[in-house]
Amino acid sequence: MEVNKTAVSNLVRNVEGEVRRIQDSDEYLLNEDTLRELLKNKVNDATIKAIMEDIEQIEERDGISRDYFEEQFTSHLDLLGQGVYPKKLIEAIKFVSLIQSGLTNQKAYDAVFPQKAAQVYGRGSNTSSFAAEYAKKKTVVEIMKRSI
């Protein structure tokens, strides 16, 4: 069987082009429009923008994959309400994600709440008790249960 070198060359170029297109795309699960639709009548426009800013910085600032975080956020939207606001949900997802990546409760707490941690350390104390209490919060426990 003879191989058509031109056809193979064209196929390789097409595949390479498709790989470049996918790598260059900014397609994520969430953007302001999809978030607005998911949270319809639950939050205002300023909150949508704040959530998107947090999500856009998640990889660089927190070391959590944006795709993974978006998947987790959308999976746990049902937890919103009754005292659980988007910011609290985001913090809980970060905390659980960092624990699952191998950090201790205390290190995860320090990463999620750096200002609070700095205040506590500034007083000559540590955040271990804060982290232990945070790990028992209803939202955190629910996210942990769902991820097992």
Side-chain angles (χ1 to χ4, degrees):
M1 178 170 148
E2 193 170 311
V3 175
N4 183 334
K5 292 179 183 180
T6 303
V8 171
S9 178
N10 288 339
L11 178 62
V12 168
R13 269 197 308 274
N14 288 341
V15 170
E16 287 172 342
E18 186 63 16
V19 167
R20 270 193 309 279
R21 184 191 68 75
I22 291 169
Q23 288 174 336
D24 292 342
S25 79
D26 289 333
E27 293 179 34
Y28 288 104
L29 180 62
L30 294 177
N31 59 42
E32 282 188 27
D33 293 331
T34 56
L35 198 55
R36 197 171 283 112
E37 186 65 30
L38 288 168
L39 299 173
K40 190 181 283 188
N41 302 323
K42 293 182 181 180
V43 297
N44 62 29
D45 216 42
T47 303
I48 296 287
K49 290 182 186 306
I51 293 169
M52 280 311 304
E53 285 176 18
D54 203 15
I55 290 172
E56 288 167 354
Q57 298 171 9
I58 198 84
E59 280 185 88
E60 186 176 314
R61 189 191 55 237
D62 300 297
I64 300 169
S65 160
R66 179 174 172 171
D67 290 329
Y68 172 80
F69 184 82
E70 288 181 350
E71 182 182 306
Q72 291 297 304
F73 184 75
T74 56
S75 297
H76 300 300
L77 283 175
D78 62 296
L79 298 175
L80 291 175
Q82 297 182 0
V84 178
Y85 303 99
K87 181 176 177 158
K88 289 185 182 223
L89 180 61
I90 289 169
E91 291 167 346
I93 292 169
K94 287 180 188 179
F95 183 76
V96 171
S97 297
L98 292 170
I99 289 170
Q100 290 176 336
S101 72
L103 293 184
T104 63
N105 284 359
Q106 185 175 351
K107 287 183 180 182
Y109 183 90
D110 293 354
V112 174
F113 303 104
Q115 285 109 356
K116 176 71 173 170
Q119 289 175 343
V120 172
Y121 289 118
R123 293 191 306 254
S125 190
N126 69 52
T127 57
S128 60
S129 62
F130 291 94
E133 284 303 309
Y134 188 75
K136 295 176 189 173
K137 292 217 176 258
K138 183 179 175 183
T139 307
V140 172
V141 170
E142 184 61 29
I143 292 169
M144 285 287 235
K145 281 195 315 193
R146 291 181 183 188
S147 63
I148 294 176

